[in-house]
Amino acid sequence: MTFNDLIDRRGTDSTKWDKMERLYGVSPDDGIAMWVADMDFRAAPPVLNRMKSLLDHGLFGYTNLDQPYRDAICWWMRTRHNWAVDAEAIFTTTGLVNGVGMCIDTFTAPGDGVVVFSPVYHAFARVIRSAGRALVECQLVASDGRYEMDFDAYDQQMTGREKMVILCSPHNPGGRVWTQQELQAVADFAKRHDLLLLSDEVHHDLVFPGNTHITMQNAAPDITDRLLMLTSPSKTFSIAGLHTGQVIIPDPTLRGKFAKRMQALSLEGNSVGQYATMAVYSPEGATWADELVTYIDGNRQLFDAAIADIPGLRSMPLEATYLAWVDFADTGMDRAEFTNRVEQTARIAANHGTSFGTGGESFLRFNLGTQRARVEEACARLKAAFGDLQ
Ligand SMILES: Cc1ncc(COP(=O)(O)O)c(C=O)c1O
């Protein structure tokens, strides 16, 4: 198996391929699915091997794998991210959106403000609003084609009713790996306005050469008493459907509160997701992740070069993630027209920028976590669809 092997996922109940016609009007017969953050690669071999041995054993009863599971997570964070995680600080949720929802539910009240840096991963806004909290968008500023934060403006926006700020680190959809200074500035902002800081670091293993991800706890140890960390192997290892994420809470008081809420709802991880986590958080998983990043980096370079060749289109330089954020503003087209060209002419399903909040209006997000041949085909189609601009 190599990353180049084309896998036909159509008709397999895949959200990415089997829902795209309904959502984007792009038929899977001749369309390319480049939306939701789900890769077209088989899960890493350690997962497949572990699943095979589970099947051979054939029993799916209650499990007692708590300690080895925690140890595997601590090992990964220490060796890959230089981050010392207290094994007792780890909670397992039904994926990370559930983790975000649980944190909002536990630590804020209806009507409280929850701050995000927009445009940002769309599920944050959905969960905040569904929970009856107020979404507060602090808009990122594009400077030299990459996102930065403007804390002078954000300070002005705060009303005193905000209770939490959510950071996406690395950033989806802008692909930024935040620097030490930027992370410290976010931490200072949280402190200044007495906010809990939730740092969603699900993309932390998908970082391209030349960039280093710094975990929020390492960047700003002084705000550990207000910190909620979210991680998961789901994006890196093609196991998002196993719905397993970790909420890591270093502060014992916050941790106690969260534990109570988890108990009240009787929430705990499922064994399949936990076995998969243990399998990939291993030396074998690390080798696979390194190979994956190299492959995605190749896709990214190819895609960026093709986009740069189309007048009017601009792809934000990706420092991390397999999600390319492409700006169509300079085409002079309205949203309906550039979207129509991508969906109906190029027959590509890409996420609409509007769903990521304020600032995303002129963008589409393309998932590059797929076989090189598909990326090449997508580039050729985009070139043709916007050919009249050349
Ligand atoms: C920042 C971020 N958090 C969470 C998720 C999804 O997490 P899960 O599928 O575990 O709920 C995504 C998926 O794209 C994401 O980009």
Side-chain angles (χ1 to χ4, degrees), residues 37 94-98 121 124 168 172 200 202-203 232 234-235 240 243 365:
T94 308
L96 277 197
V97 179
N98 175 234
Y121 176 51
F124 294 162
C168 189
N172 166 17
D200 179 336
V202 70
H203 297 284
S232 167
S234 58
K235 298 287 149 193
H243 286 289
R365 193 192 71 175

Side-chain angles (χ1 to χ4, degrees), residues 363-383:
F363 288 82
L364 294 176
R365 193 192 71 175
F366 294 79
N367 180 343
L368 306 181
T370 192
Q371 285 71 25
R372 181 86 26 101
R374 284 208 182 95
V375 178
E376 283 166 351
E377 175 63 20
C379 292
R381 290 187 187 191
L382 288 170
K383 244 180 179 164

Side-chain angles (χ1 to χ4, degrees), residues 14 49 87 92 158 305 345:
S14 150
N49 294 335
T92 303
M158 295 301 104
T345 311

Side-chain angles (χ1 to χ4, degrees), residues 105-171:
D105 181 72
T106 306
F107 298 114
T108 70
D112 285 349
V114 180
V115 178
V116 300
F117 300 104
S118 71
V120 72
Y121 176 51
H122 40 71
F124 294 162
R126 190 182 71 230
V127 171
I128 292 166
R129 288 192 172 117
S130 307
R133 275 61 167 176
L135 176 70
V136 181
E137 286 185 304
C138 286
Q139 204 181 325
L140 294 167
V141 182
S143 166
D144 278 341
R146 72 209 276 272
Y147 283 133
E148 290 180 0
M149 298 173 193
D150 176 1
F151 286 99
D152 289 339
Y154 307 156
D155 283 341
Q156 297 294 318
Q157 258 182 277
M158 295 301 104
T159 63
R161 290 189 293 277
E162 299 77 16
K163 290 287 176 315
M164 180 183 281
V165 54
I166 302 180
L167 177 72
C168 189
S169 174
H171 185 70

Side-chain angles (χ1 to χ4, degrees), residues 105-360:
D105 181 72
T106 306
F107 298 114
T108 70
D112 285 349
V114 180
V115 178
V116 300
F117 300 104
S118 71
V120 72
Y121 176 51
H122 40 71
F124 294 162
R126 190 182 71 230
V127 171
I128 292 166
R129 288 192 172 117
S130 307
R133 275 61 167 176
L135 176 70
V136 181
E137 286 185 304
C138 286
Q139 204 181 325
L140 294 167
V141 182
S143 166
D144 278 341
R146 72 209 276 272
Y147 283 133
E148 290 180 0
M149 298 173 193
D150 176 1
F151 286 99
D152 289 339
Y154 307 156
D155 283 341
Q156 297 294 318
Q157 258 182 277
M158 295 301 104
T159 63
R161 290 189 293 277
E162 299 77 16
K163 290 287 176 315
M164 180 183 281
V165 54
I166 302 180
L167 177 72
C168 189
S169 174
H171 185 70
N172 166 17
R176 281 295 320 278
V177 174
W178 305 114
T179 62
Q180 167 67 40
Q181 289 78 4
E182 287 169 318
L183 293 169
Q184 186 63 58
V186 175
D188 292 344
F189 172 73
K191 244 204 237 173
R192 242 182 349 265
H193 299 283
D194 195 18
L195 307 173
L196 285 170
L197 171 51
L198 187 158
S199 187
D200 179 336
E201 306 196 2
V202 70
H203 297 284
H204 63 175
D205 291 313
L206 299 160
V207 173
F208 298 119
N211 304 282
T212 305
H213 171 76
I214 307 170
T215 69
M216 183 50 95
Q217 194 180 358
N218 281 356
D222 55 318
I223 51 97
T224 294
D225 60 345
R226 57 177 73 244
L227 183 61
L228 310 162
M229 299 282 295
L230 268 64
T231 65
S232 167
S234 58
K235 298 287 149 193
T236 310
F237 294 100
S238 267
I239 51 174
L242 300 184
H243 286 289
T244 299
Q246 290 84 36
V247 176
I248 301 176
I249 307 182
D251 179 74
T253 308
L254 294 177
R255 193 189 301 166
K257 216 171 164 192
F258 195 76
K260 269 197 181 151
R261 197 73 193 118
M262 290 286 283
Q263 271 160 21
L265 298 172
S266 198
L267 267 180
E268 53 182 318
N270 73 84
S271 61
V272 175
Q274 288 179 296
Y275 279 124
T277 302
M278 290 159 62
V280 292
Y281 282 172
S282 63
E284 221 185 331
T287 303
W288 192 88
D290 289 340
E291 289 165 4
L292 172 76
V293 170
T294 302
Y295 188 84
I296 304 273
D297 196 20
N299 283 357
R300 165 185 78 118
Q301 289 176 34
L302 189 145
F303 185 80
D304 280 356
I307 293 296
D309 239 19
I310 306 175
L313 270 60
R314 224 158 358 128
S315 190
M316 275 207 176
L318 276 192
E319 297 164 352
T321 84
Y322 46 76
L323 306 163
W325 188 233
V326 179
D327 192 358
F328 291 77
D330 292 345
T331 59
M333 297 174 191
D334 64 17
R335 190 146 44 88
E337 185 178 353
F338 70 73
T339 306
N340 192 55
R341 284 192 188 208
V342 171
E343 291 174 352
Q344 296 312 314
T345 311
R347 299 181 314 288
I348 297 172
N351 286 86
H352 295 178
T354 43
S355 63
F356 296 83
T358 307

